[in-house]
Amino acid sequence: MTTPPLGLRDQKKMARREAMIQAAVRLAVERGVENALIEDITAAAGVSHRTFSNYFGGKAEAIAAKHLDRARGVAEVLRGRPADEPLWDAITYAALSPYRADKKSPDPEWTASIRLMTSEPSLLGEFLKTNAVAERELADVVAERTGTKVARDLYPRLVAATVWAAVEVATDKWLSTAKPAPITQLVRNALRQVAAGLPDPSAD
Amino acid sequence: MTTPPLGLRDQKKMARREAMIQAAVRLAVERGVENALIEDITAAAGVSHRTFSNYFGGKAEAIAAKHLDRARGVAEVLRGRPADEPLWDAITYAALSPYRADKKSPDPEWTASIRLMTSEPSLLGEFLKTNAVAERELADVVAERTGTKVARDLYPRLVAATVWAAVEVATDKWLSTAKPAPITQLVRNALRQVAAGLPDPSAD
DNA sequence: GGGGATCTTGCGTGCCGCGCAAGATTGCGT
DNA sequence: ACGCAATCTTGCGCGGCACGCAAGATCCCC
């Protein structure tokens, strides 16, 4: 996506960021969020305690960072879709795009972070914030596509909110089911339902 | 609602809680969230610094408390609706119920706290958490009503999520518009749209 | 009216976010 | 090739906060 020839400076920056995120998730999973001190995380990532604060507002933000990157990608992919493609087809494609990169099943580090954030109350707020950011950006793109205005019309925000709700619910079901259907199928299904409206219960 | 003859003990408890919430919102609005120290809040409420921590997990939780109470009421009202009432009629009634108590326009302290939470990043997470809690409870009631199961079917959670999204978007528009239509009308409108599905932009 | 339960309060501790200034490292023009 | 300037990391320190603990106050109920 963003490949303006990256300087050495920014390369190291990315590497440090990635190292911190990875260490944060790993340690939080291993020993629990409360017991994974920032000091431990920065030690594992090979940076100073103080540097962590330059990158993230807190432990939760670091853990949520991967999910944030993934979520923002959805809006970005939607923006890249041809303008004449039907809206909900484009949305479905975009919503599934994060899973296309994954080889077989989704990135285990990503799923681990999701489980963590949805189970630990101290992380839940940050998790919801990332979704809110992504939803906002999605609304912007939907507005562009449909000739509506976020500030004026309810439509783009309602679409973005329902889309994200569908993704969210589908993901949650996928995570909490013993032998779940492929997550792409669950997402597709949920999107079909919200697009069509929800007057009555329909089978999954 | 809950009127088992309240003891003196619980009366004082409620009063303290209310005093802290009110002081928290007021001071946070007056001088900014960061500058409203917990010490100040507790001083204004006439309780100890330590007592605050017994009631709330943090400043954000105290500020969000009023909204949380309001939001949970929606699910509770829905549960009280007759079983043979059409689902979306009952939902609409329940979603509008918080505003029925307000005399003319919504409780100014409530609107103030909403503005605060949606504008201050440090509060946004807690705000979204309260909505998530309310959404969860709403999903439970929807499941009861429709004979579905939250753990099995996507339907109740999708309904709850879209309903809450509609309320959220409508509220946000009401707050950000110079001379807005009545909030009840905006909510009703948003609910109609999500219930019917969102294939194409429709006028508000 | 008294015993037991519940809650507030004060104290102490460890963690965290951030301001500040100094030192290190990279980018870039010449 | 080199040095200057910009950027960033790092160490230090401080104020604020969440929470455990024990003692004292308050209320419930018999």
Side-chain angles (χ1 to χ4, degrees), chain A residues 67 70-71 73-74 77 91-108 110-111 114 127 131 163-164 166-175 182-188 191:
Chain A
H67 178 60
R70 253 177 113 96
V74 173
V77 168
I91 285 177
T92 303
Y93 181 90
L96 294 175
S97 63
Y99 308 109
R100 254 181 278 280
D102 303 324
K103 290 308 161 200
K104 189 77 173 168
S105 66
D107 179 357
W110 173 72
T111 61
I114 300 283
F127 175 66
N131 290 339
V163 165
W164 211 256
V167 171
E168 200 40 44
V169 170
T171 304
D172 193 81
K173 180 172 184 183
W174 184 79
L175 282 172
I183 189 168
T184 54
Q185 183 183 322
L186 289 169
V187 170
R188 222 186 287 269
L191 284 175

Side-chain angles (χ1 to χ4, degrees), chain A residues 9 16 47-48 50-51 54-55:
Chain A
R9 201 174 204 103
R16 262 190 298 259
V47 295
S48 156
R50 189 60 181 78
T51 297
N54 291 340
Y55 280 73

Side-chain angles (χ1 to χ4, degrees), chain A residues 152-154 158, chain B residues 92 96 99 163 165-177 179-194 204:
Chain A
R152 173 167 47 87
D153 308 301
L154 298 181
L158 288 179
Chain B
T92 303
L96 293 175
Y99 309 109
V163 164
V167 171
E168 201 40 44
V169 170
T171 305
D172 194 80
K173 181 173 184 184
W174 183 79
L175 282 172
S176 64
T177 305
K179 278 182 58 75
I183 190 168
T184 54
Q185 183 183 322
L186 289 169
V187 170
R188 223 186 286 269
N189 189 349
L191 283 176
R192 199 175 334 112
Q193 290 192 44
V194 295
D204 300 340

Side-chain angles (χ1 to χ4, degrees), chain B residues 9-10 13 16 46-51 54-55:
Chain B
R9 200 175 205 102
D10 301 273
K13 218 171 154 72
R16 263 189 298 258
V47 295
S48 157
H49 156 63
R50 189 60 184 75
T51 296
N54 291 341
Y55 280 73

Side-chain angles (χ1 to χ4, degrees), chain A residues 2 4-5 8 23 33 39 66 77 79 90-91 96 121 129 132 145 149 152 161 175 181 186 198:
Chain A
T2 59
L8 212 197
V33 181
E39 186 182 344
K66 187 147 204 162
V77 168
R79 181 173 278 117
I91 285 177
L96 294 175
K129 269 171 79 171
R145 271 195 155 259
K149 285 226 173 66
R152 173 167 47 87
L175 282 172
L186 289 169
L198 299 160

Side-chain angles (χ1 to χ4, degrees), chain B residues 21-165:
Chain B
I21 293 173
Q22 209 172 323
V25 172
R26 184 174 61 82
L27 290 178
V29 169
E30 280 179 10
R31 55 178 86 159
V33 181
E34 297 299 309
N35 303 355
L37 303 188
I38 287 189
E39 190 183 345
D40 303 332
I41 296 170
T42 54
V47 295
S48 157
H49 156 63
R50 189 60 184 75
T51 296
F52 184 90
S53 289
N54 291 341
Y55 280 73
F56 309 103
K59 214 188 301 179
E61 197 177 314
I63 294 175
K66 185 148 205 162
H67 179 60
L68 178 59
D69 295 344
R70 253 177 114 95
R72 302 182 84 161
V74 172
E76 202 172 339
V77 168
L78 180 61
R79 182 172 279 118
R81 291 264 90 196
D84 61 341
E85 187 177 24
L87 177 64
W88 285 91
D89 291 352
I91 286 176
T92 303
Y93 181 90
L96 293 175
S97 63
Y99 309 109
R100 253 182 277 280
D102 302 324
K103 290 308 159 201
K104 188 77 175 168
S105 66
D107 179 357
E109 188 179 328
W110 173 72
T111 61
S113 71
I114 300 283
R115 276 185 209 280
L116 213 53
M117 293 187 288
T118 50
S119 60
E120 285 283 337
S122 64
L123 301 180
L124 184 55
E126 197 62 34
F127 175 67
L128 297 171
K129 268 171 79 171
T130 67
N131 290 340
V133 168
E135 182 185 315
R136 206 75 191 202
E137 300 187 359
L138 191 61
D140 291 339
V141 183
V142 171
E144 292 173 18
R145 270 194 155 259
T146 57
T148 55
K149 284 225 174 67
V150 173
R152 173 166 47 87
D153 308 301
L154 297 182
Y155 184 78
R157 293 196 55 195
L158 288 178
V159 169
T162 53
V163 164
W164 211 255

